[in-house]
């Protein structure tokens, strides 16, 4: 009986500890820093806020936009004295009205980021202690199976995820990715782009080799790249969406294996490729008007000897634009569109524009934007620029599954966004609801973009693993995972 009582006691304790361990992260608001003594104080107050927020552990903290939504307020100040600086943090418990203080100091600009990293560790520890959050125990590999990369409600054997690969870290933050030709069974062309640079690589499971690079003139900014073989000559074109002084100035390149050749420039459209192979992919185009609003219909782009033209307007729902829609196909004699709205919800519309269904969870999430002049009402708030954020790609797989990314761990302060973890979701439309079929494990980092190849079943992920900061250009990684 004593032995049974001991076992029962142990079970009760285990259950209690499990409940504590999974008590979720606390809602925390990180305020703009108060900055004194620095010449660029207006910019620095938001920059320091963003860097610190991105360093807080998502296991401990859920970042919220407004102070009145938070359980804890993190209020920071930065003071510069000659070459020395001090960063002081107040952590306020809004429920108990208590305050905890932590600080870091250093000398020189090169010590700012390390000091913020140290501050974040202290804040994480204080929140962990004051919020009474317990960290889940680590299971030993001798008694627990390794968690699969994909969590599947049904048919877990239908996904092979052991075949994966990642590139070495790439210096800089890149925002867009596109696949090129498959040259032989193990090697293919791959393109990635940053704000003004496009790079071409040859990639296989053993190598990631840079081949060529090209840049666009300043002050132009690359928003997206896509590949398609519109003229069916076996050599895909690279469609580059460019914004230049608030107007589209897009370009088309052809890559010959060693370098980029300009096919067309200063085109008046934004581009988006839809389709899972280079040979069959369609390129859609749309214009924008002053103020950053999308203008006119989304149309299909075609190429001829005379140049590029647009035809076949898509009658999208009112909230649809070139970057946030996908056509599910003909369902009950009606084209069914899925759109990611500006708040991140998936909305299904029939061809007449009527809303059929809307998700309760948010998806997508992008840090990529272009600036434009604000409308009159925004100018009254002293906003000098309006940021128009792009959205994540939505892809339809060969079995009809809708592939949608979800970036999380975000905070939004006015024009600022930051994400620090992501997952991919496979959804199925049954005529009434979009139902989840599977999703990947949540991975650390920000998913900037992805490309999918139907023939190989591979998804190419462009991940930002270190954000750019005051003294760092950031780091990106290309990863490949096989979906089937």
């Amino acid at each position: 009986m004593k032995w049974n009582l001991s076992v029962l006691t142990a079970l009760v304790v285990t259950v209690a500890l499990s409940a504590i361990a999974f008590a979720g992260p606390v809602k925390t608001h990180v305020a703009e820093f108060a900055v004194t003594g620095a010449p660029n104080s207006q910019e620095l107050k938001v920059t320091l806020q963003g860097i610190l927020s991105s360093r807080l552990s998502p296991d401990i903290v859920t970042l919220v936009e407004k102070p009145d939504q938070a359980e804890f307020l993190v209020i920071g100040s930065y003071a510069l004295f000659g070459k020395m600086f001090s960063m002081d943090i107040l952590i306020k418990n809004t429920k108990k009205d208590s305050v905890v203080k932590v600080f870091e100091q250093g000398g020189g600009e090169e010590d700012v980021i390390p000091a913020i990293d140290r501050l974040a560790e202290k804040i994480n520890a204080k929140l962990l202690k004051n919020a009474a959050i317990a960290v889940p125990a680590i299971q030993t590999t001798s008694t627990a199976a390794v968690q699969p990369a994909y969590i599947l409600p049904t048919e877990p054997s239908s996904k092979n995820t052991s075949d994966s690969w990642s590139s070495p870290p790439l210096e800089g933050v890149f925002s867009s990715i596109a696949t090129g030709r498959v040259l032989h069974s193990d090697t293919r062309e791959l393109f990635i782009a940053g704000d003004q640079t496009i790079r071409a690589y040859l990639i296989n499971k053993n190598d990631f080799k840079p081949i060529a690079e090209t840049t666009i003139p300043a002050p132009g900014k690359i928003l997206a790249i896509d590949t398609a073989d519109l003229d069916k000559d076996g050599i895909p074109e690279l469609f580059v969406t460019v914004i230049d002084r608030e107007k589209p100035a897009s370009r088309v390149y052809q890559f010959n294996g060693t370098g980029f050749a300009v096919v067309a420039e200063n085109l008046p459209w934004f581009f988006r490729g839809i389709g899972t192979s280079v040979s069959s992919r369609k390129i859609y185009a749309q214009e924008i008007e002053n103020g950053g609003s999308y203008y006119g219909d989304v149309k299909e782009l075609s190429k001829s000897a005379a140049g590029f033209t647009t035809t076949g307007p898509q009658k999208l729902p009112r909230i649809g634009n070139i970057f946030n829609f996908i056509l599910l196909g003909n369902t009950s004699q009606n084209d069914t569109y899925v759109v990611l709205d500006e708040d991140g919800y998936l909305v299904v519309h029939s061809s007449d524009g009527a809303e059929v269904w809307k998700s309760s969870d948010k998806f997508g999430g992008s840090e990529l934007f272009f600036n434009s002049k604000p409308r009159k009402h925004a100018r009254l708030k002293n906003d000098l620029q309006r940021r128009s954020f792009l959205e994540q790609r939505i892809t339809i797989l060969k079995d009809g599954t809708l592939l949608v990314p979800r970036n999380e761990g975000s905070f939004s302060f006015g024009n600022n966004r930051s994400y620090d973890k992501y997952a991919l979701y496979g959804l199925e439309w049954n005529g009434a609801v979009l139902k989840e079929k599977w999703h990947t494990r949540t991975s650390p980092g920000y998913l900037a973009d992805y490309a999918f190849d139907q023939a190989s079943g591979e998804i190419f992920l462009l991940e930002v693993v270190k954000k750019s900061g005051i003294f760092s250009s950031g780091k990106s990684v290309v990863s490949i995972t096989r979906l089937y």
Side-chain angles (χ1 to χ4, degrees), residues 115-230:
I116 292 178
D117 290 339
R118 297 191 299 270
L119 262 183
E121 291 179 3
K122 291 181 178 181
I123 295 170
N124 286 331
K126 293 294 184 182
L127 289 175
L128 191 64
K129 178 181 179 181
N130 285 273
I133 303 171
V135 178
I138 300 175
Q139 295 180 329
T140 59
T141 55
S142 60
T143 58
V146 177
Q147 185 180 8
Y150 286 78
I151 303 169
L152 304 173
T154 58
E155 300 180 355
S157 62
S158 66
K159 301 285 181 185
N160 175 17
T161 60
S162 60
D163 190 11
S164 60
W165 174 93
S166 292
S167 74
L170 307 173
E171 195 68 28
V173 171
F174 293 89
S175 56
S176 192
I177 189 170
T179 56
R181 295 172 295 182
V182 178
L183 303 180
H184 49 77
S185 59
D186 294 326
T187 304
R188 71 157 65 236
E189 296 169 338
L190 192 73
F191 307 98
I192 63 173
D195 282 353
Q196 292 183 311
T197 303
I198 306 169
R199 292 183 186 175
Y201 290 85
L202 287 181
I203 184 170
N204 60 35
K205 295 301 172 61
N206 302 310
D207 199 12
F208 189 63
K209 183 179 179 182
I211 300 298
E213 181 176 302
T214 189
T215 59
I216 67 166
K221 178 180 179 179
I222 297 172
L223 299 178
I225 58 173
D226 288 280
T227 51
D229 186 9
L230 295 190

Side-chain angles (χ1 to χ4, degrees), residues 85-100:
F85 67 82
S86 177
M87 282 188 280
D88 299 84
I89 299 292
L90 298 178
I91 306 171
K92 183 176 181 180
N93 187 327
T94 59
K95 293 182 178 180
K96 298 181 180 179
D97 201 26
S98 61
V99 174
V100 177

Side-chain angles (χ1 to χ4, degrees), residues 30 45 104 106 135 141 154-155 276 312 359 424:
V30 180
K45 65 170 63 174
E104 279 291 336
V135 178
T141 55
T154 58
E155 300 180 355
T276 53
S359 67
L424 300 172

Side-chain angles (χ1 to χ4, degrees), residues 3-25:
W3 183 87
N4 288 337
L5 181 59
S6 299
V7 171
L8 179 61
T9 302
L11 287 172
V12 171
V13 171
T14 300
V15 171
L17 288 175
S18 298
I20 296 174
F22 289 95

Side-chain angles (χ1 to χ4, degrees), residues 196-375:
Q196 292 183 311
T197 303
I198 306 169
R199 292 183 186 175
Y201 290 85
L202 287 181
I203 184 170
N204 60 35
K205 295 301 172 61
N206 302 310
D207 199 12
F208 189 63
K209 183 179 179 182
I211 300 298
E213 181 176 302
T214 189
T215 59
I216 67 166
K221 178 180 179 179
I222 297 172
L223 299 178
I225 58 173
D226 288 280
T227 51
D229 186 9
L230 295 190
D231 57 7
K232 307 302 180 185
D233 64 352
I235 303 175
E237 299 85 31
L238 183 67
F239 297 87
V240 183
T241 296
V242 178
I243 186 79
D244 187 347
R245 284 160 287 200
E246 303 180 9
K247 293 183 180 180
S250 297
R251 295 181 158 215
V252 180
Y253 292 90
Q254 195 164 66
F255 183 69
N256 62 10
T258 58
F260 295 92
V262 177
V263 177
E265 56 187 337
N266 292 321
L267 297 174
W269 307 294
F270 284 175
F271 299 128
R272 178 66 106 191
I274 295 182
T276 53
S277 71
V278 172
S279 59
S280 63
R281 184 173 298 130
K282 294 181 179 180
I283 299 293
Y284 290 93
Q286 190 176 21
E287 300 177 58
I288 66 165
E289 59 185 357
N290 291 337
S293 299
Y294 296 96
Y295 174 73
D297 292 323
V298 172
K299 298 180 181 180
E300 186 177 343
L301 192 72
S302 60
K303 180 186 178 185
S304 66
F308 293 94
T309 57
T310 57
T311 57
Q314 301 287 308
K315 297 300 181 183
L316 298 184
R318 180 182 54 82
I319 61 173
N321 64 63
I322 185 72
F323 293 117
N324 71 355
F325 85 98
I326 193 76
L327 178 63
L328 278 179
N330 191 280
T331 306
S332 301
Q333 308 303 315
N334 286 313
D335 287 335
T336 304
Y337 290 94
V338 179
V339 177
L340 266 170
D341 71 13
E342 63 179 1
D343 296 317
Y345 295 101
L346 286 168
V347 187
V348 180
H349 290 265
S350 59
S351 59
D352 60 3
E355 181 179 311
V356 178
W357 179 85
K358 184 175 182 177
S359 67
S360 57
D361 295 319
K362 292 185 178 183
F363 293 87
S366 173
E367 296 179 11
L368 186 61
F369 65 89
F370 60 93
N371 284 323
S372 56
K373 291 180 181 178
R375 295 186 177 92

